[in-house]
């Protein structure tokens, strides 16, 4: 069946054959996936690292003597050189025009976003977000409110979960004259996979807004060219791009916008002068004033290797492959039906590959139309050696829009006297008209192949007509890619 399905897939997506270099990469650098019969479908959660990346980094650490960069000594200078080489590579990779951007290394993308939140001059200005945003962007509203700014959300359309353009245009028209206004949105949703239009950046600029672009879910499979679009701030997670290293993120900042940022404190490495007796300090200029303490100078050079890997393969090759597999999986999941004609899977967001990436978020339904607990599906997937992710994916706004959860629902949940945990929240929403919260996300990435997509499809298809989905009753046979009962 798989061979026939693959042949039909190639008829529909012949361009997939042009991405064969990724099969070679999987065989050489990621063969642990096939050796362990592991179907990895959580690339939006974390990219996978290749063997060569780790080997190159290990060789560098074994051969070099690297010290804390905050000195002019021999080992410190060696570390500084590697960090600055990587910084230049990051800027070049994202097409930053010479001298217009700098790259601030952080512990992660959330750390990059926190810099913007705590340093942006929100006072009496406006902070506008799309409802589709990661919680690390949502959290910036607390800084904005504390500084006296107004906060507004641009809603999403249903069922595609795209930004409501008419409403957004109206909100953008209300920038506060004479004050700083910040608009934040993701280039790609980590919930639905929707790719939001980057031309929003220019439109926001025209109406008096600075722009914060969360690119963490976008750049693993898409090119971000800062010579074509120029947001003031861009957050990036390197492990989501190429798996290794963790613990290193980045804030790309337009130099013209950096002057707006006012740090509320200083730390080791961020000052050119600090005095106890004089109670004074002088912040270091540029990115140095934002890189608190000692940089992760041993891990940052691994970013250089990761970027080189993507450049060798070609980001367009990765994007093409992910698009082909996503299109096939969407079409086939949408076609699944129980014997009584009820659909087995509900997709949240677009059901075609138009302006969407490789994250597919869904829920399963039984023959009676009842929602299957996504936690049960995750258990079964793990037993089948399939890695997926479930929950709300730190993106409550997109999840609330997808499930039709209202402001009244959320306020009622927050007011529960016993406090709110995830299991309690799920029960609470079931009691409010059978509403659901949370979903299943399968996401494709750099070395995904047709077998990965096919195995997940077969996993989903074999729940046809099943009403009981427990680990004790349902067993997944890895070799046949099928769910069987009682091991039979």
């Amino acid at each position: 069946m798989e061979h026939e399905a693959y042949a039909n897939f190639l008829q529909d997506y012949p361009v997939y054959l042009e991405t064969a270099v990724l099969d070679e990469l999987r065989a050489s650098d990621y063969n642990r996936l096939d050796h362990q019969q592991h179907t990895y479908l959580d690339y939006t959660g974390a990219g996978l690292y290749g063997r060569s990346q780790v080997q190159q980094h290990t060789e560098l650490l074994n051969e070099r003597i690297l010290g804390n960069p905050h000195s002019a000594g021999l080992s410190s200078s060696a570390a500084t050189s590697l960090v600055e080489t990587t910084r230049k590579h990051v800027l070049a990779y994202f097409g930053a025009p010479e001298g217009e951007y700098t790259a601030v290394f952080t512990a992660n993308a959330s750390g990059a976003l926190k810099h913007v939140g705590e340093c942006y001059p929100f006072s009496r200005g406006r902070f506008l977000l799309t409802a589709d945003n990661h919680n690390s962007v949502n959290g910036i509203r607390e800084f904005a409110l504390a500084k006296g700014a107004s906060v507004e959300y641009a809603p999403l359309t249903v069922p595609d979960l795209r930004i409501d353009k008419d409403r957004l245009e109206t909100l953008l028209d209300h920038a506060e004259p004479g004050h700083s206004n910040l608009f934040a949105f993701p280039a790609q949703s980590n919930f639905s996979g929707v790719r939001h239009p980057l031309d929003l950046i220019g439109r926001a600029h025209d109406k008096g807004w600075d722009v914060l672009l969360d690119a963490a879910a976008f750049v693993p499979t898409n090119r971000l060219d800062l010579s074509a679009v120029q947001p003031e701030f861009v957050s990036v997670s390197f492990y989501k791009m190429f798996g290794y290293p963790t613990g290193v993120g980045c804030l790309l900042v337009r130099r013209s916008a950096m002057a707006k940022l006012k740090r509320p404190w200083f730390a080791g490495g961020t000052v050119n002068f600090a005095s106890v007796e004089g109670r004074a300090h002088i912040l270091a200029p540029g990115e140095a004033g934002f890189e608190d303490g000692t940089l992760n100078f041993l891990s940052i050079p691994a970013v250089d290797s990761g970027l080189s890997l993507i450049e060798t393969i070609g980001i367009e090759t990765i994007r093409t492959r992910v698009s082909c597999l996503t299109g096939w999986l969407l079409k086939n999941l949408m076609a699944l039906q129980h014997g009584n004609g009820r659909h087995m899977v509900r997709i949240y967001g677009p059901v075609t590959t138009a302006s969407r990436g490789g994250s597919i978020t869904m829920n399963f339904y039984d023959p009676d139309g009842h929602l299957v607990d996504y936690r049960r599906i995750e258990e079964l997937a793990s037993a089948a050696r399939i890695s997926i992710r479930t929950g709300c994916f730190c993106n409550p706004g997109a999840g609330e829009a997808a499930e039709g959860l209202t402001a009244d629902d959320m306020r009622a949940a927050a007011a529960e006297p016993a406090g709110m945990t995830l299991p309690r929240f799920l029960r609470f929403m079931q009691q409010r008209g059978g509403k659901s919260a949370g979903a299943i996300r399968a996401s494709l990435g750099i070395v995904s192949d047709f077998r990965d997509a096919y195995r997940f499809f077969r996993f989903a298809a074999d729940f046809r007509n099943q009403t009981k989905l427990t680990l004790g009753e349902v067993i997944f046979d890895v070799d046949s890619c099928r769910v069987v009962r009682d091991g039979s």
Side-chain angles (χ1 to χ4, degrees):
M1 290 179 66
E2 181 182 341
H3 294 299
E4 181 181 351
Y6 182 58
N8 292 334
F9 166 74
L10 291 180
Q11 286 185 345
D12 291 338
Y13 300 96
V15 70
Y16 181 83
L17 292 174
E18 297 176 13
T19 69
V21 65
L22 294 173
D23 295 317
E24 298 170 10
L25 180 66
R26 178 167 174 145
S28 65
D29 266 36
Y30 300 83
N31 56 10
R32 62 189 184 276
L33 287 169
D34 296 319
H35 288 168
Q36 298 176 31
Q37 294 185 299
H38 192 135
T39 299
Y40 186 80
L41 294 172
D42 191 24
Y43 286 91
T44 300
L48 290 182
Y49 57 85
R51 179 184 290 112
S52 63
Q53 291 172 257
V54 179
Q55 288 175 337
Q56 290 172 24
H57 190 222
T58 301
E59 289 172 6
L60 181 146
L61 296 179
N62 284 334
E63 294 173 1
R64 304 292 291 271
I65 298 173
L66 305 172
N68 188 324
H70 295 145
S71 175
L74 183 61
S75 60
S76 297
S77 296
T80 297
S81 177
L82 290 172
V83 168
E84 294 310 314
T85 295
T86 303
R87 196 188 311 276
K88 290 178 182 177
H89 197 172
V90 169
L91 292 169
Y93 179 84
F94 290 112
E98 185 75 24
E100 290 194 26
Y101 279 85
T102 190
V104 177
F105 288 120
T106 60
N108 43 45
S110 294
L113 293 163
K114 186 181 179 185
H115 269 327
V116 179
E118 69 179 2
C119 300
Y120 190 80
F122 282 112
S123 179
R124 290 183 292 172
R126 291 184 181 273
F127 182 39
L128 173 61
L129 314 81
T130 53
D132 183 3
N133 259 310
H134 192 278
N135 265 341
S136 295
V137 179
N138 287 323
I140 294 175
R141 73 188 186 203
E142 301 305 309
F143 289 112
L145 291 168
K147 294 177 182 179
S150 63
V151 175
E152 292 281 353
Y153 277 96
L156 306 177
T157 61
V158 178
D160 281 354
L161 302 181
R162 301 191 187 277
I163 299 169
D164 185 329
K165 291 183 179 180
D166 291 339
R167 179 61 180 150
L168 175 61
E169 288 293 336
T170 299
L171 291 168
L172 287 173
D173 285 336
H174 289 85
E176 196 66 43
H179 297 281
S180 294
N181 305 279
L182 183 64
F183 170 50
F185 75 101
Q188 180 171 309
S189 174
N190 75 312
F191 182 94
S192 66
V194 166
R195 286 199 300 265
H196 298 300
L198 296 183
D199 64 8
L200 293 177
I201 297 167
R203 285 155 59 189
H205 283 163
D206 291 343
K207 296 189 177 189
W209 297 80
D210 293 326
V211 178
L212 166 59
L213 183 71
D214 178 8
F218 179 79
V219 293
T221 57
N222 299 276
R223 180 169 302 285
L224 176 63
D225 183 359
L226 294 178
S227 69
V229 294
Q230 297 190 322
E232 279 65 30
F233 312 103
V234 182
S235 58
V236 173
S237 172
F238 293 116
Y239 82 88
K240 290 184 185 294
M241 292 180 69
F242 35 73
Y244 181 85
T246 56
V248 182
C250 181
L251 178 67
L252 298 166
V253 188
R254 285 187 78 175
R255 291 190 181 276
S256 59
M258 183 166 271
K260 284 188 173 185
L261 302 181
K262 305 300 180 185
R263 299 225 63 189
W265 80 312
F266 65 92
T270 66
V271 288
N272 283 347
F273 171 83
S275 169
V276 172
E277 294 296 335
R279 305 289 176 93
H281 74 278
I282 299 174
L283 201 68
E287 66 277 350
F290 292 82
E291 293 176 338
D292 297 332
T294 302
L295 281 174
N296 194 343
F297 62 92
L298 294 181
S299 292
I300 286 173
V303 172
D304 193 54
S305 299
L307 292 174
S308 294
L309 173 68
I310 300 296
E311 289 170 330
T312 299
I313 296 300
I315 193 68
E316 293 302 329
T317 301
I318 299 170
R319 176 175 169 141
T320 296
R321 170 161 289 211
V322 168
S323 180
C324 292
L325 295 173
T326 301
W328 183 87
L329 197 49
L330 282 168
K331 178 182 177 181
N332 283 274
L333 288 173
M334 288 292 293
L336 290 176
Q337 293 183 353
H338 292 290
N340 60 9
R342 290 183 183 271
H343 285 284
M344 296 171 58
V345 176
R346 177 186 175 189
I347 304 291
Y348 299 109
V351 294
T352 72
T353 56
S355 297
R356 67 118 68 229
S359 295
I360 302 175
T361 297
M362 70 202 88
N363 265 317
F364 288 13
Y365 289 81
D366 71 13
D368 296 324
H370 299 139
L371 177 72
V372 178
D373 191 328
Y374 64 77
R375 294 167 296 181
R376 183 69 68 217
I377 298 298
E378 185 174 36
E379 287 181 328
L380 293 166
S382 294
R385 303 195 61 76
I386 299 174
S387 287
I388 54 175
R389 188 163 295 263
T390 65
C392 297
F393 321 117
C394 294
N395 189 331
E400 290 161 11
E403 296 289 358
L405 305 183
T406 66
D408 287 343
D409 290 330
M410 307 316 290
R411 281 192 287 264
E416 281 288 286
M420 190 54 63
T421 62
L422 179 58
R424 189 173 292 132
F425 180 67
L426 295 175
R427 291 194 298 271
F428 182 83
M429 285 301 150
Q430 280 292 315
Q431 294 165 3
R432 291 178 70 88
K435 294 183 177 182
S436 61
I440 302 155
R441 187 181 72 196
S443 52
L444 300 143
I446 182 171
V447 289
S448 295
D449 63 10
F450 179 76
R451 183 166 174 80
D452 291 332
Y454 182 77
R455 286 190 68 202
F456 183 75
F457 166 70
R458 289 306 317 164
F459 171 78
D462 281 318
F463 292 126
R464 186 173 187 266
N465 297 332
Q466 293 193 30
T467 57
K468 293 183 179 180
L469 301 175
T470 65
L471 281 172
E473 296 171 339
V474 181
I475 299 172
F476 192 88
D477 181 72
V478 173
D479 292 326
S480 66
C481 299
R482 295 185 65 84
V483 172
V484 294
R485 286 187 177 277
D486 301 322
S488 59

